[in-house]
Amino acid sequence: MCVWTTLHNSLLVLVSNTCHLPAGLYDKCFYASSDRGWLLGIKAVSDQANRDPRFFFSLKTDRAHKLTTITSNAPYTPNQWSHVAITYNGLFMKLYVNGAQVAVSRDQSGEIFSPLTKKCKVLMIGGNALNHNYRGTMEHLSLWHRALSQREIIRYMGHGLSQFGDLSQLVIHENFESMSRRWLTVKDGSCPRLEYSDRSLAAVLSDAELKPPPCGQTVCDNVEVITNYYQLWSFRKPKTVRYRVINVYDDDGRWPTITDHQINLQHQHLNNAFRVYNISWERTVHNVYNSSLRNRLILANCDISKVGDEECDPECNHTLTGFDAGYCKRQTARCPEYKQGNGVCDPECNWDNFYYDHGDCCNPNITDVTKTCFNPASPHRYF
Ligand SMILES: *[C@@H]1O[C@H](CO)[C@@H](O)[C@H](O)[C@H]1NC(C)=O
Ligand SMILES: *[C@@H]1O[C@H](CO)[C@@H](O)[C@H](O)[C@H]1NC(C)=O
Ligand SMILES: *[C@@H]1O[C@H](CO)[C@@H](O)[C@H](O)[C@H]1NC(C)=O
Ligand SMILES: *[C@@H]1O[C@H](CO)[C@@H](O)[C@H](O)[C@H]1NC(C)=O
């Protein structure tokens, strides 16, 4: 075990086949009662037992009331080396996996340790005092006094320490060759033990490829994260996005929804707009000849089941739905019984409550259904 004081730090570790806690800096004085300090490990993020294990970085500064934990965007891959880095600069906590920043938080701020508790720190590798142990291999570990930038982390992944001119901020660089001289082992028996490999560091690191996270409702929506993808060219390898235009025509091939000219123009604009991101677009056009479909109206966000569902859905409020089957319009006129289903489409009876005039308003033999059929269940409606 090793004791020292530190303020802000960066930790870089290379881990594989992991379970639980590769490393943590704990508060020794209040250890039993508190979770102050920082922790890097692996834990399941879902409630389902050990499913979906991810790297996490948690931190609680001396003055914070709560612990903050950030987790990687994707599960870690067992039996494969990962390069994991965590940084904290007094403002941002960041987690990097294989050079990619995968999580960030600014919930903690200020120094990790107050002057009073600085002497209390203990760094543990491979587990904690609560017997949460790490089953896996660590190639090396380094700890810095300052938060490394993403560029530095990537450079370090590729070339090791040789790339750093100034090593004055390096607190520790451990390759575990002389463990017993520098560390106190707390476990009995055969753990931890040294394993020799004939694989070079370069080969180990080539396992750890740069992989941007999949986008969606994820960390990609975080501006800070997305900006650093944008700034680093290695994440901007050329990509092609394929898309398909479905153009609906009348049965006789006339009246296209969109002209060829418009399609070409849009394609050009797409390519121009995304060229700076190294993204190009590949288009195919699919023509559909179907007058019935061509006449349909598409209401964005209006699921058909919402029409006439007894409440007004503004997204479905359109003349072609009869203002959401009447629910978005105050019904003033009354519908007398003799008019219901009398073979004429009576507007005052044309809503859900009167079964759309008992079918009269969706009967093409009686009325122009393109204007009067609001029944979502009818094949004659035009939305
Ligand atoms: C596009 O990708 C190439 C090849 O990876 C790279 O050299 C170039 O810098 C990238 N361009 C932009 C604008 O990102
Ligand atoms: C045309 O579109 C309608 C929907 O508006 C669909 O029910 C019908 O099957 C389509 N016809 C053909 C030939 O695909
Ligand atoms: C529905 O649309 C009509 C016509 O556009 C409008 O007058 C009415 O206020 C809308 N109703 C609601 C509840 O949005
Ligand atoms: C419309 O008239 C045709 C022919 O007279 C008939 O076959 C069809 O069932 C009628 N449609 C409706 C909805 O009544």
Side-chain angles (χ1 to χ4, degrees), residues 220-348:
C220 291
D221 301 324
N222 183 309
V223 177
E224 158 95 20
V225 171
I226 211 73
T227 310
N228 83 40
Y229 279 91
Y230 174 63
Q231 282 163 356
L232 287 160
W233 73 265
S234 51
F235 291 133
R236 284 185 283 136
K237 300 212 176 84
K239 294 178 191 67
T240 303
V241 180
R242 279 189 285 276
Y243 72 105
R244 183 151 70 147
V245 178
I246 296 178
N247 202 5
V248 184
Y249 292 70
D250 260 353
D251 288 332
D252 60 9
R254 285 188 297 187
W255 198 38
T257 312
I258 181 170
T259 64
D260 285 342
H261 177 69
Q262 286 170 310
I263 294 175
N264 287 333
L265 208 62
Q266 173 181 298
H267 187 68
Q268 252 173 37
H269 281 302
L270 269 175
N271 273 311
N272 290 344
F274 283 84
R275 187 166 298 126
V276 291
Y277 305 105
N278 251 348
I279 293 172
S280 59
W281 294 76
E282 198 179 290
R283 162 195 59 180
T284 50
V285 179
H286 180 64
N287 293 326
V288 172
Y289 304 100
N290 185 333
S291 298
S292 155
L293 204 56
R294 180 66 187 94
N295 285 313
R296 294 282 167 123
L297 168 79
I298 294 174
L299 291 164
N301 291 327
C302 171
D303 188 275
I304 212 157
S305 64
K306 289 184 185 170
V307 177
D309 66 352
E310 313 211 338
E311 55 185 305
C312 168
D313 302 284
E315 62 273 29
C316 297
N317 186 17
H318 190 277
T319 47
L320 275 183
T321 64
F323 306 99
D324 194 357
Y327 291 103
C328 287
K329 203 171 80 173
R330 194 188 295 262
Q331 293 287 336
T332 45
R334 301 187 47 228
C335 167
E337 207 161 316
Y338 73 90
K339 283 192 173 178
Q340 298 173 20
N342 63 347
V344 179
C345 171
D346 302 293
E348 64 271 35

Side-chain angles (χ1 to χ4, degrees), residues 42 50 184 378:
I42 294 170
N50 286 327
L184 192 75
S378 167

Side-chain angles (χ1 to χ4, degrees), residues 23 51 55 79 137 174 265 269 302 342 379:
R51 298 255 182 92
F55 289 112
N79 297 315
T137 320
E174 184 56 71
L265 208 62
H269 281 302
C302 171
N342 63 347

